[in-house]
Amino acid sequence: MTSRIDAEYADPTPLRVRIDTHEHYSESANHPTADVLAALELSGTEHLADIGCGDARFLAELVTAGHHGRLVGIDNSPAMVAAADLVPGVLGVLADAERIPFDDNTFDALTARHMLYHVEDPRSALDEFRRTTRPGGTVAVVVNHPNNCPRTVELVTAHADTYGIEQTETFRASVDSDSLPLLMSEVFGAVRVHRSDNALVFDRAEPLVRFAESLFGLYGVPADHPERDAILDDLRDDVDDWFAAHPGEKWRDPKGYVVVAARVDEG
């Protein structure tokens, strides 16, 4: 992962903004958690690891739903591990996806949601997912479509560019919904794929500006960047101008993801 990615996830706030935006401003119902749970078919007793657990809301939802098997949240951000540790019954572990500090065949189920594209070597991470999941267990991985939310990304990068911020080191997906099924089939054999196509839709400026700001760290404008406030002000003016010039129109930005699930071979 790049230093910009590490900086982005040092604070869970931008991630929370992005999750909340997808929850409230998706054109169609947005149910990635439900899609993952459908792929896993949990009984509630499984020893489950969530790799790249983020702010641990997925694990918290499992606890609330009555899951009583052991739950582990693994992340390479201390802030995210701390969030996992705050959830009753969840163990937070600081580690990389390519070096999971657990024995072979430890977990009954393993999830990696919206994180594999941040890993330098996705195949190595998938090998670790298989190694640490017991035979008969299920691995479910979620990644976005290529060029997810392209209009908002272009908005952010264009304003960063005006301040001389180069995009050579910014987030570039190493794996996406087009490439993940084949990559997982190479590691696990048969896979099941659930695809979700959607869009973010904004009818006013404020939530779009908030979402765009939540992407700043991924595109070279971290919280401590000296020009961050100026970039944000310019971007806000641009968005206000767009809505003023397009009365009654909505800002629509295509997005989507796949859930790819595989059962670890018992042979």
Side-chain angles (χ1 to χ4, degrees), residues 147-158 211 215 219 253:
N147 301 316
N148 222 42
C149 300
R151 294 187 69 189
T152 310
V153 170
E154 182 180 4
L155 178 70
V156 171
T157 57
F211 178 60
L215 300 176
Y219 295 96
D253 212 357

Side-chain angles (χ1 to χ4, degrees), residues 194-217:
H194 173 80
R195 180 183 177 97
S196 174
D197 299 306
N198 210 328
L200 288 176
V201 178
F202 302 99
D203 61 359
R204 63 189 191 281
E206 186 274 333
L208 172 55
V209 172
R210 285 193 75 228
F211 178 60
E213 184 184 9
S214 77
L215 300 176
F216 273 17

Side-chain angles (χ1 to χ4, degrees), residues 31-98:
H31 298 305
T33 296
D35 292 339
V36 169
L37 293 177
L40 292 174
E41 299 179 333
L42 298 175
S43 69
T45 64
E46 291 85 0
H47 186 186
L48 180 146
D50 188 33
I51 312 298
C53 63
D55 65 359
R57 69 177 65 195
F58 172 71
L59 296 170
E61 289 180 21
L62 289 179
V63 172
T64 300
H67 190 97
H68 51 278
R70 294 175 61 194
L71 297 172
V72 179
I74 298 175
D75 208 291
N76 68 355
S77 163
M80 304 305 181
V81 172
D85 278 330
L86 289 175
V87 180
V90 172
L91 171 66
V93 176
L94 185 67
D96 292 327
E98 297 160 281

Side-chain angles (χ1 to χ4, degrees), residues 6-254:
D6 290 339
E8 170 66 9
Y9 290 100
D11 177 357
T13 302
L15 174 63
R16 288 170 179 161
V17 169
R18 292 194 291 272
I19 293 172
D20 290 342
T21 299
H22 287 290
E23 180 177 349
H24 295 293
Y25 294 95
S26 289
E27 187 171 51
S28 304
N30 191 65
H31 298 305
T33 296
D35 292 339
V36 169
L37 293 177
L40 292 174
E41 299 179 333
L42 298 175
S43 69
T45 64
E46 291 85 0
H47 186 186
L48 180 146
D50 188 33
I51 312 298
C53 63
D55 65 359
R57 69 177 65 195
F58 172 71
L59 296 170
E61 289 180 21
L62 289 179
V63 172
T64 300
H67 190 97
H68 51 278
R70 294 175 61 194
L71 297 172
V72 179
I74 298 175
D75 208 291
N76 68 355
S77 163
M80 304 305 181
V81 172
D85 278 330
L86 289 175
V87 180
V90 172
L91 171 66
V93 176
L94 185 67
D96 292 327
E98 297 160 281
R99 292 177 294 277
I100 299 174
F102 286 88
D103 293 337
D104 296 357
N105 307 328
T106 294
F107 304 112
D108 302 308
L110 183 147
T111 55
R113 302 165 304 103
H114 301 287
M115 58 75 59
L116 194 62
Y117 33 63
H118 293 317
V119 175
E120 184 175 348
D121 185 352
R123 173 60 189 263
S124 176
L126 291 175
D127 287 338
E128 277 290 88
F129 299 170
R130 175 172 180 148
R131 179 188 68 79
T132 54
T133 304
R134 66 166 181 80
T138 302
V139 173
V141 180
V142 186
V143 297
N144 291 331
H145 292 348
N147 301 316
N148 222 42
C149 300
R151 294 187 69 189
T152 310
V153 170
E154 182 180 4
L155 178 70
V156 171
T157 57
H159 282 278
D161 287 346
T162 64
Y163 284 82
I165 299 171
E166 297 183 2
Q167 299 303 312
T168 55
E169 297 179 5
T170 55
F171 169 61
R172 295 289 183 270
S174 57
V175 63
D176 56 39
S177 61
D178 290 342
S179 59
L180 179 63
L182 177 59
L183 188 61
M184 281 192 65
S185 68
E186 291 173 354
V187 176
F188 295 98
V191 299
R192 291 170 283 124
V193 180
H194 173 80
R195 180 183 177 97
S196 174
D197 299 306
N198 210 328
L200 288 176
V201 178
F202 302 99
D203 61 359
R204 63 189 191 281
E206 186 274 333
L208 172 55
V209 172
R210 285 193 75 228
F211 178 60
E213 184 184 9
S214 77
L215 300 176
F216 273 17
L218 296 172
Y219 295 96
V221 192
D224 60 354
H225 194 283
E227 304 291 350
R228 183 185 177 96
D229 289 344
I231 295 170
L232 180 60
D233 287 343
D234 289 351
L235 183 146
R236 182 179 289 110
D237 289 344
D238 197 9
V239 172
D240 286 339
D241 289 345
W242 188 91
F243 279 99
H246 299 82
E249 291 189 33
K250 297 179 180 180
W251 175 286
R252 184 179 186 276
D253 212 357

